[in-house]
Amino acid sequence: ILEDSSNIYRKQIVYHILTTLFYEISNLLLTEKENRKESKPNEEIFRRFLKDIETHFREERTIKFYAEKAHLTPKYFSLLIFKLTGKHAKDWIDEYTILEAKAMLKSSYLTIKQISYELNFATPSHFCRYFRHHTDVSPRQYRNLR
């Protein structure tokens, strides 16, 4: 539109298109904010759970820890997460841990022993068993995959 020199209103048209875009984006953001306010308490617990996993997965991988942060019993917390997502709370924790382990194995110079300690496993062999259980390959095999 700006390049069309035959249109004497091109600047006004662009201005109004940008204004319309601004109002559309503002409306979307406000609507999203209102939807978040109306979100169910259980959904808020799940959102908080995901943030807690991101923050604490290196130190804690027990459901009890995350349930206590939500001020719920581990049994009720697990049931709530499963009802909301169709996946057990432990699976969410394990998936996050495995994703981080995979990223570290592929993109860092750290040894498997160092990675196991970074992820707060008691021993490198415990990390290797955990990793193999969740991926069907050892950390060394995963690192060597192309």
Side-chain angles (χ1 to χ4, degrees), residues 16-53:
H16 289 291
I17 288 172
L18 290 174
T19 303
T20 303
L21 179 63
F22 169 77
Y23 286 123
E24 283 295 320
I25 292 171
S26 296
N27 182 52
L28 288 172
L29 291 173
L30 289 172
T31 304
E32 182 182 331
K33 190 174 182 180
E34 288 173 12
N35 287 342
R36 267 193 252 136
K37 285 181 184 176
E38 295 172 8
S39 70
K40 298 173 185 166
N42 293 348
E43 291 171 359
E44 188 56 40
I45 290 170
F46 177 66
R47 270 194 219 95
R48 183 71 201 151
F49 172 54
L50 290 180
K51 286 180 184 176
D52 287 341
I53 290 173

Side-chain angles (χ1 to χ4, degrees), residues 8-142:
I8 61 172
Y9 298 108
R10 64 183 181 268
K11 288 183 182 177
Q12 289 83 357
I13 292 171
V14 170
Y15 171 80
H16 289 291
I17 288 172
L18 290 174
T19 303
T20 303
L21 179 63
F22 169 77
Y23 286 123
E24 283 295 320
I25 292 171
S26 296
N27 182 52
L28 288 172
L29 291 173
L30 289 172
T31 304
E32 182 182 331
K33 190 174 182 180
E34 288 173 12
N35 287 342
R36 267 193 252 136
K37 285 181 184 176
E38 295 172 8
S39 70
K40 298 173 185 166
N42 293 348
E43 291 171 359
E44 188 56 40
I45 290 170
F46 177 66
R47 270 194 219 95
R48 183 71 201 151
F49 172 54
L50 290 180
K51 286 180 184 176
D52 287 341
I53 290 173
E54 187 177 338
T55 306
H56 301 287
F57 78 97
R58 290 177 191 261
E59 302 90 32
E60 288 291 341
R61 282 184 286 280
T62 64
I63 295 170
K64 182 181 180 204
F65 172 81
Y66 295 99
E68 286 175 357
K69 290 193 71 56
H71 307 290
L72 300 170
T73 66
K75 186 175 181 176
Y76 180 73
F77 182 75
S78 294
L79 181 65
L80 184 86
I81 297 299
F82 184 76
K83 282 184 176 180
L84 280 172
T85 67
K87 199 179 337 180
H88 296 283
K90 184 69 174 146
D91 294 336
W92 284 101
I93 298 164
D94 290 340
E95 282 183 24
Y96 200 94
T97 304
I98 290 298
L99 280 174
E100 183 68 14
K102 285 179 174 181
M104 292 174 85
L105 286 165
K106 285 292 188 180
S107 66
S108 77
Y109 58 89
L110 297 174
T111 66
I112 292 170
K113 181 179 181 180
Q114 290 169 321
I115 291 171
S116 71
Y117 290 129
E118 280 283 321
L119 295 175
N120 203 31
F121 282 89
T123 64
S125 64
H126 182 235
F127 168 67
C128 290
R129 281 193 308 274
Y130 179 89
F131 191 87
R132 183 183 289 276
H133 173 76
H134 291 285
T135 64
D136 295 327
V137 295
S138 71
R140 187 175 319 285
Q141 289 169 326
Y142 182 81

